[in-house]
């Protein structure tokens, strides 16, 4: 098992962009809050278990479980996150890391002699110069081309180079992460123009970030970890009664689009090529509501076998009849979210071992003044699926709104 010092080092490692994908960590590095929640649950378990995270994201839960010698599975719909989770949790030998360090220096040498590299074409991100200034964008195009040359020519494990590239994407961007959703730094202020233009040494930044990532890859997990790309509503790639412990933080019903937040990575790594693809993927995701997903909510209709207790029906009506033109759309959004989660929980019951335990880390929501008691709905759905001993534990207050909290909703089969 990884030492507590090593876990703390990984937990404490944060950057200014840790509200983005960095909040889940780069490679072995994960933020204190995520590690703390998972560790508090895992440390109470004595025997080796089969641990599942059906909303794996960047694989924080599988990695923590792997460090404690458990068998761990991450299940993730987004192909980019499934790829990243795989890279993050795989085993890297000292030979692998030495070779990768040599590759980063070879790439840096080529970048310092840019005629040796033909830059790639930047991806079709709308208003791309809002994301990156001209100098930064030119460097990223050179770096991506140089990395692609080595990934095509050399051994497996080179995907770490793409992780380093993703890290540079945000390091050199104009994105700001000082609140829940990503925004862009304000450049309209009346700032005095510098006498001399300062251009950072981008290649040196690349080498520094490479060192950080490769250093974090040295501490390999000992457990058996698998990352599966699939739809968590049906979990069709998992066998019946194959899981002892489930720890997950599913998307909250708060209209936050993870596809929107992950666009720069997904475009540069060619998981997306246009906005419609992004909207289609968001529509498939639970809680997705960006692009075409929003327009489809207008005509969405309930399935006949959803979970709609009377108090839930009333709050959906309250949202729909709020003094806002989007009331009905948002009511449909909340209904669809819980319909999807009802389907998910029904399948979870089938794949849990008898006596198995589930933990859902979830936050409540407010829509037009109507509080959605997400934790209570999860509790009622778990009980309706057949789970027992359901407990709601308040974890923390989420932000300045006094009614918003995060909860651990746990239960046993």
């Amino acid at each position: 098992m990884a030492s507590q010092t090593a876990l703390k080092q990984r937990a404490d490692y944060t950057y200014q962009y840790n509200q983005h994908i960095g909040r889940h960590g780069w490679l072995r590095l994960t933020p204190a809050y995520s590690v703390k929640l998972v560790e508090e649950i895992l440390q109470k378990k004595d025997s080796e278990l089969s641990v599942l995270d059906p909303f794996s994201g960047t694989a924080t839960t599988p990695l923590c479980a792997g460090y404690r010698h458990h068998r761990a599975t991450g299940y993730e719909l987004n192909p980019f996150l499934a790829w990243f989770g795989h890279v993050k949790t795989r085993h890297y030998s000292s030979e692998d890391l030495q070779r990768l360090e040599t590759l980063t220096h070879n790439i840096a040498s080529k970048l310092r002699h840019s005629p040796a590299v033909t830059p790639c074409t930047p991806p079709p991100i709308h208003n791309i110069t809002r994301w990156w200034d001209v100098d930064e964008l030119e460097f990223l195009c050179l770096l991506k081309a140089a990395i692609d040359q080595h990934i095509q020519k050399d051994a497996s494990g080179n995907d770490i180079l793409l992780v380093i590239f993703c890290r540079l994407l945000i390091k050199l961007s104009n994105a700001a992460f000082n609140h829940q959703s990503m925004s862009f730094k304000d450049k309209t202020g009346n700032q005095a123009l510098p006498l001399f233009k300062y251009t950072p040494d981008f290649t040196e930044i690349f080498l520094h970030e490479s060192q950080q990532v490769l250093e974090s890859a040295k501490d390999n997990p000992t457990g058996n970890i698998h990352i599966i790309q699939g739809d968590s509503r049906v979990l069709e790639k998992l066998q019946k009664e194959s899981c002892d412990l489930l720890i997950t933080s599913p998307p909250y019903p708060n209209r936050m689009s993870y596809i929107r937040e992950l666009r720069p990575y997904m475009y540069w790594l060619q998981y997306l090529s246009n906005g419609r693809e992004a909207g289609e993927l968001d529509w498939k995701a639970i809680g997705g509501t960006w692009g075409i997903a929003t327009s489809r909510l207008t005509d969405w209709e309930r399935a006949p076998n959803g979970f709609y207790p009377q108090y839930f029906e009333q709050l959906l009506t309250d949202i729909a009849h709020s003094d806002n033109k989007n009331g009905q759309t948002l009511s449909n959004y909340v209904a669809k979210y819980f319909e999807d989660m009802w389907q998910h929980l029904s399948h979870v019951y089938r794949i849990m071992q008898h006596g198995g335990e589930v933990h859902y880390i979830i936050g409540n929501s407010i829509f037009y003044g109507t509080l959605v008691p997400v934790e209570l709905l999860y509790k009622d759905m778990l009980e309706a699926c057949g789970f027992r001993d359901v407990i709601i534990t308040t974890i923390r207050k989420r932000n300045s709104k006094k009614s918003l909290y995060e909860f651990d909703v746990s239960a046993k089969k």
Side-chain angles (χ1 to χ4, degrees):
M1 180 172 60
S3 69
Q4 290 302 309
T5 300
L7 279 172
K8 185 177 186 302
Q9 287 174 345
R10 286 192 297 274
D12 290 342
Y13 189 83
T14 55
Y15 281 84
Q16 64 177 353
Y17 49 85
N18 68 356
Q19 292 300 311
H20 206 250
I21 190 173
R23 68 177 145 205
H24 303 290
W26 287 104
L27 222 49
R28 310 293 196 220
L29 309 173
T30 53
Y33 180 59
S34 298
V35 170
K36 182 175 183 292
L37 290 175
V38 176
E39 283 290 302
E40 285 178 350
I41 297 169
L42 290 174
Q43 68 186 3
K44 299 176 183 178
K45 310 300 177 184
D46 297 326
S47 59
E48 182 179 309
L49 301 172
S50 176
V51 180
L52 170 67
D53 184 346
F55 299 93
S56 183
T58 55
T60 294
T61 293
L63 185 62
C64 288
Y67 277 125
R68 289 183 171 269
H69 314 297
H70 297 298
R71 303 181 306 278
T73 300
Y75 214 89
E76 174 57 48
L77 177 68
N78 187 311
F80 165 73
L81 289 177
W83 164 81
F84 182 72
H86 173 73
V87 177
K88 180 176 180 178
T89 57
R90 65 163 289 172
H91 185 281
Y92 295 96
S93 68
S94 57
E95 292 78 14
D96 286 335
L97 297 176
Q98 181 60 54
R99 180 179 55 80
L100 286 165
E101 184 177 3
T102 300
L103 280 180
T104 61
H105 284 281
N106 290 343
I107 290 170
S109 179
K110 287 189 175 182
L111 293 172
R112 294 193 189 282
H113 303 86
S114 56
V117 181
T118 301
C120 72
T121 302
I125 298 176
H126 175 68
N127 199 5
I128 194 169
T129 53
R130 182 174 62 165
W131 283 89
W132 299 279
D133 294 334
V134 173
D135 290 340
E136 284 78 2
L137 185 58
E138 289 180 352
F139 174 77
L140 290 171
C141 289
L142 285 170
L143 176 59
K144 182 61 165 57
I147 288 175
D148 286 345
Q149 289 178 8
H150 287 279
I151 285 183
Q152 292 169 6
K153 294 178 181 179
D154 292 291
S156 62
N158 287 2
D159 278 359
I160 275 191
L161 298 174
L162 291 176
V163 172
I164 297 167
F165 176 76
C166 286
R167 187 152 156 166
L168 266 291
L169 284 181
I170 296 306
K171 186 79 172 180
L172 303 182
S173 77
N174 296 320
F177 307 100
N178 53 359
H179 47 77
Q180 178 177 331
S181 184
M182 181 273 301
S183 62
F184 294 98
K185 299 168 186 174
D186 183 9
K187 293 192 172 185
T188 61
N190 296 321
Q191 300 177 355
L193 293 176
L195 183 60
F196 300 103
K197 181 181 178 181
Y198 168 70
T199 301
D201 187 338
F202 297 131
T203 301
E204 193 61 36
I205 294 174
F206 163 71
L207 287 172
H208 174 75
E209 299 300 312
S210 298
Q211 182 181 9
Q212 296 288 335
V213 171
L214 294 176
E215 183 66 27
S216 72
K218 291 180 180 179
D219 192 7
N220 290 300
T222 55
N224 191 6
I225 303 175
H226 295 282
I227 305 298
I228 298 173
Q229 184 187 351
D231 188 342
S232 295
R233 279 170 289 214
V234 291
L235 299 169
E236 75 280 2
K237 299 177 184 179
L238 297 178
Q239 296 180 352
K240 184 178 180 180
E241 298 183 349
S242 60
C243 179
D244 301 302
L245 175 64
L246 181 152
I247 308 173
T248 193
S249 183
Y252 297 1
N254 60 4
R255 298 195 68 205
M256 179 176 174
S257 169
Y258 292 96
I259 301 302
R260 179 180 181 273
E261 299 291 302
L262 295 172
R263 277 178 299 163
Y265 313 109
M266 297 186 73
Y267 273 101
W268 278 97
L269 271 57
Q270 298 181 328
Y271 288 100
L272 292 175
S273 59
N274 56 63
R276 185 173 184 85
E277 290 179 355
E280 290 287 354
L281 185 56
D282 217 32
W283 178 248
K284 294 177 183 177
I286 295 177
T289 176
W290 187 61
I292 197 170
T294 300
S295 60
R296 287 179 180 172
L297 282 171
T298 304
D299 301 321
W300 176 82
E301 296 181 358
R302 300 180 185 181
N305 57 347
F307 182 81
Y308 293 95
Q310 186 57 46
Y311 73 92
F312 187 37
E313 293 278 11
Q314 183 59 54
L315 71 85
L316 291 175
T317 299
D318 292 343
I319 295 171
H321 293 165
S322 63
D323 187 19
N324 190 292
K325 65 179 181 180
N326 295 319
Q328 185 59 61
T329 299
L330 268 295
S331 178
N332 287 353
Y333 166 78
V334 174
K336 183 178 186 300
Y337 172 90
F338 284 100
E339 191 170 288
D340 286 342
M341 287 305 306
W342 169 247
Q343 184 181 5
H344 161 76
L345 292 171
S346 299
H347 282 82
V348 164
Y349 188 81
R350 302 172 194 174
I351 58 97
M352 294 299 299
Q353 292 270 16
H354 180 71
E357 185 175 301
V358 301
H359 291 263
Y360 283 86
I361 313 301
I362 193 66
N364 57 2
S365 302
I366 297 177
F367 291 90
Y368 306 135
T370 298
L371 177 68
V372 180
V374 177
E375 73 286 3
L376 179 59
L377 280 157
Y378 269 68
K379 177 181 183 294
D380 290 345
M381 288 191 293
L382 285 165
E383 290 177 340
C385 287
F387 287 94
R388 58 185 174 84
D389 300 336
V390 183
I391 300 173
I392 299 173
T393 303
T394 303
I395 298 174
R396 68 171 184 173
K397 189 175 182 294
R398 281 167 54 200
N399 58 24
S400 58
K401 293 184 178 180
K402 64 180 181 180
S403 301
L404 295 184
Y405 291 86
E406 284 178 320
F407 306 89
D408 176 5
V409 184
S410 61
K412 294 182 179 179
K413 179 175 177 180

